[in-house]
Amino acid sequence: MAKQRRELFKTKIGMLLACVGSAMGLANIWMFPARLGEFGGITFLIPYLFFLFGFSSFGLMGEYAFGRKMRKGPVIAFESVLAEKTNNPILKGIGWFPVAALIGILSFYTVIIGWILRYLVLALANSFPTMEEVFFSSFAGTPANIPWTLAAILVTALIVSLGIQKGIERFTTVMMATFYVVVMIMVIRALTLPNALHGVAAMLTPKWEALSHFRIWIYALGMAFFTLSLGGAAMLVYGSYMPEETDIPQTACQTAGLDLLASILCALFTIPAAFSLGINPQAGAALLFIAVPKIMTNMPAGYVFGALFFLCALFAALTSSIVMLEVPVESLISKFSLSRKKAALIISLLAACIAIPLNFDMNVFGTFTDTVAIIIFPLAAVTAGFLIFWVYGAQKALDNINLYAKHKIGRWYAPYMQYVFVPVCLLLVIAGIFLGGL
Ligand code: PFF
């Protein structure tokens, strides 16, 4: 398998938007505005910006550069790094762990995409005004969502099976560009609602005492981590499709910057709209599936905006589910020389087998989601961080990062990643277990 045969991203913008698509997902839409509400608005940005740009974006550079260097996904890349150190087949197969973590995330993500699809159809049929508040609980956690979950898996699989340029790059570019344009229109609409600016003013007033809570720091760290998809697989695989001359520090900063922009735009829509209409902007599913339909019912032209909102949520989630499927597909292709279509079919069937039972009980869904997102995924990040910065070598990682960089990263990077980044990833796993926090 010659290196040159690997399909790479075709355009710089397509590459960037694919990476931003992976980063920008449900966490931006349903966690970020809620965290702002919970921790004193703009005050939350202090720890969040600190961790996003001072911490996780350096992990992101590591994943991108390691992927570009190895031109393989986690399974083969980690296997070859470990080949010189051990003969133990279980240790050498450690790359399957981040892949498995991602299949877990893919499975619960497709359940949520199923809900979004259902709500998009409801919005298009103008059903929100007559919808009862209990609709969500009568639908989510029941087999009624199974066809929608399967539709989500099917759409993701169709895009991934078309390949990197014709599938992933093309579709994520269209979806991300549409997302930004539509969300901006929605922000303008929300900000011009009566009283909306009071909501913004409340958000912009710092509440310094919030910074003394341990939770704000751990939540900000967890979110900065999850949003940049740092689990040693997704961004590594996208890195492996980056053209040789890619400026890695620049691409990582742009990914984090556009991801932040998406979060802020989502908050600038939900918070003022909710404030203006006297609705409490809640966290998680309650925001998307209970508060938003209420907002849309009470908002002038809510019919149009409801459909646009769920379209944006769909694009945000799909551009993430695409990379979640791509990672295991790449692993099967690289390890077993399967065709892309066959690999996509196998992983989709596996994801469906996990996702279908998650539709029967919201408690099972919640436990599964928390375990995978809060414990297993950061544990995969610790594993990958250890392998990249300790086994492969932080200095080599730095050399790769700086290879075509206009602004080079200093020599502090190597000890920082070894002695701060990897231990803090571990702290996140421990905090996740004790606090249940993200
Ligand atoms: N970054 C996505 C979000 O913010 O929701 C989640 C995610 C995407 C996690 C891709 C992991 C991943 F590989």
Side-chain angles (χ1 to χ4, degrees):
M1 271 165 272
K3 267 186 181 176
Q4 303 87 298
R5 298 288 302 277
R6 193 172 183 82
E7 196 184 356
L8 304 181
F9 289 119
K10 193 169 165 192
T11 64
K12 219 171 151 187
I13 184 78
M15 172 187 83
L16 180 64
L17 289 181
C19 294
V20 176
S22 165
M24 213 270 301
L26 291 165
N28 305 57
I29 297 186
W30 83 20
M31 286 321 286
F32 186 78
R35 292 287 184 247
L36 288 186
E38 198 179 340
F39 292 112
I42 198 165
T43 322
F44 182 72
L45 281 183
I46 297 170
Y48 186 63
L49 290 180
F50 172 75
F51 287 126
L52 190 67
F53 290 102
F55 191 74
S56 4
S57 49
F58 292 113
L60 184 59
M61 289 176 205
E63 285 203 19
Y64 281 164
F66 183 69
R68 183 184 63 181
K69 173 72 188 164
M70 305 308 278
R71 292 283 178 229
K72 287 285 176 228
V75 172
I76 305 274
F78 291 142
E79 188 180 282
S80 44
V81 166
L82 285 164
E84 302 155 18
K85 318 268 175 194
T86 177
N87 277 326
N88 183 323
I90 298 187
L91 273 183
K92 283 203 298 194
I94 193 81
W96 287 107
F97 175 52
V99 176
L102 226 47
I103 296 177
I105 300 193
L106 172 68
S107 307
F108 78 70
Y109 234 76
T110 52
V111 172
I112 304 174
I113 299 177
W115 300 341
I116 297 175
L117 278 172
R118 178 77 185 101
Y119 272 65
L120 178 61
V121 171
L122 286 170
L124 287 170
N126 198 12
S127 303
F128 289 158
T130 51
M131 196 168 88
E132 302 199 14
E133 200 175 315
V134 291
F135 178 80
F136 183 64
S137 47
S138 69
F139 169 70
T142 73
N145 189 45
I146 292 174
W148 302 94
T149 306
L150 295 179
I153 297 177
L154 184 69
V155 174
T156 309
L158 285 177
I159 295 174
V160 167
S161 48
L162 288 174
I164 309 307
Q165 294 183 1
K166 290 207 176 104
I168 297 179
E169 184 170 346
R170 192 160 45 142
F171 282 89
T172 51
T173 303
V174 173
M175 287 194 259
M176 289 315 309
T178 313
F179 174 90
Y180 283 104
V181 173
V182 172
V183 170
M184 276 186 217
I185 297 172
M186 297 188 42
V187 168
I188 296 171
R189 171 67 282 209
L191 290 177
T192 47
L193 286 170
N195 262 335
L197 292 179
H198 291 295
V200 179
M203 202 168 103
L204 290 178
T205 314
K207 297 199 184 60
W208 302 115
E209 68 282 0
L211 291 177
S212 62
H213 296 294
F214 178 61
R215 270 179 188 264
I216 189 176
W217 294 92
I218 224 53
Y219 281 3
L221 173 64
M223 196 145 94
F225 226 85
F226 190 72
T227 196
L228 289 192
S229 316
L230 288 189
M235 295 313 209
L236 193 159
V237 166
Y238 273 2
S240 78
Y241 301 139
M242 286 182 179
E244 199 52 37
E245 62 291 348
T246 303
D247 184 333
I248 300 273
Q250 189 192 55
T251 309
C253 290
Q254 287 170 338
T255 310
L258 284 171
D259 178 70
L260 176 69
L261 176 68
S263 298
I264 291 181
L265 289 174
C266 290
L268 278 178
F269 168 73
T270 21
I271 294 180
F275 200 89
S276 167
L277 303 165
I279 290 159
N280 185 17
Q282 297 135 308
L287 170 75
L288 225 59
F289 303 106
I290 298 174
V292 166
K294 257 198 236 164
I295 292 174
M296 298 309 174
T297 305
N298 292 302
M299 189 162 131
Y303 163 64
V304 178
F305 285 98
L308 288 179
F309 179 89
F310 282 101
L311 187 72
C312 284
L314 179 67
F315 286 175
L318 268 181
T319 50
S320 292
S321 67
I322 286 172
V323 69
M324 293 171 197
L325 179 62
E326 173 58 21
V327 169
V329 164
E330 189 280 343
S331 305
L332 292 189
I333 297 173
S334 297
K335 185 73 188 166
F336 303 113
S337 307
L338 290 189
S339 74
R340 174 166 281 276
K341 288 200 170 55
K342 204 182 264 173
L345 180 67
I346 293 173
I347 303 295
S348 302
L349 289 175
L350 180 62
C353 290
I354 304 171
I356 289 174
L358 294 180
N359 277 303
F360 283 92
D361 184 339
M362 279 305 266
N363 289 327
V364 175
F365 174 81
T367 310
F368 181 87
T369 304
D370 286 349
T371 313
V372 175
I374 298 172
I375 300 167
I376 301 193
F377 187 64
L379 204 55
V382 178
T383 313
F386 180 74
L387 288 167
I388 297 174
F389 300 115
W390 282 94
V391 181
Y392 172 70
Q395 187 55 47
K396 276 203 257 172
L398 176 61
D399 295 342
N400 288 324
I401 288 172
N402 281 338
L403 210 51
Y404 297 92
K406 218 186 300 152
H407 301 289
K408 301 208 187 304
I409 305 291
R411 291 172 54 170
W412 53 267
Y413 181 85
Y416 182 64
M417 299 314 274
Q418 286 188 320
Y419 296 102
V420 180
F421 183 81
V422 177
V424 171
C425 294
L426 193 58
L427 173 83
L428 197 62
V429 179
I430 298 167
I433 294 172
F434 286 106
L435 293 177
L438 233 191

